[in-house]
Amino acid sequence: MNFIQVCSTEELPNDSQKVVNMGKRKIALFHYNNKISAIANACLHKAGPLGLGAVSYKYDGMYVTCPWHGWQYNVTTGRHCLNARIEHTTFPVKLEEDGVFVELP
């Protein structure tokens, strides 16, 4: 497993989100309801910055809305709100005392 520390726990308090760089990738981190998740930052529609989108409870969980054109993704599963065949890349996350770690393939 290739877990890499992306930020400290203080940098991602509950009810917040953050974009981090992991090499050539940008990852959107979400910390809502005391659960941290990570998805690729670029929206599948037109590559809008998901990490800058509004997050709220909708449908069956927490969803981020792309600030460019309104596409919505579940922050945990990466699934689009209306089309289950559209699924964004997600990354395993591990929370430890000294920080937040994300696994890259």
Side-chain angles (χ1 to χ4, degrees):
M1 300 209 180
N2 190 22
F3 279 93
I4 299 167
Q5 184 172 1
V6 294
C7 66
S8 70
T9 53
E10 291 81 26
E11 292 177 277
L12 191 65
N14 196 36
D15 296 325
S16 72
Q17 61 211 55
K18 178 179 184 67
V19 176
V20 295
N21 292 315
M22 294 185 72
K24 294 179 181 178
R25 298 177 192 225
K26 287 190 179 195
I27 308 293
L29 298 173
F30 299 95
H31 189 179
Y32 290 91
N33 299 325
N34 296 309
K35 181 174 176 152
I36 297 177
S37 58
I39 64 175
N41 186 54
C43 178
L44 295 173
H45 177 233
K46 296 280 186 178
L50 293 178
L52 300 179
V55 176
S56 59
Y57 183 83
K58 297 178 181 187
Y59 318 111
D60 60 349
M62 298 303 288
Y63 281 76
V64 61
T65 301
C66 179
W68 287 5
H69 301 106
W71 281 40
Q72 297 175 346
Y73 301 90
N74 182 298
V75 300
T76 304
T77 66
R79 285 198 181 117
H80 186 270
C81 68
L82 300 175
N83 188 341
R85 293 179 299 179
I86 299 174
E87 193 169 311
H88 215 323
T89 303
T90 60
F91 301 93
V93 177
K94 184 167 65 167
L95 181 62
E96 294 187 0
E97 238 179 74
D98 55 341
V100 178
F101 294 76
V102 174
E103 182 182 28
L104 289 181

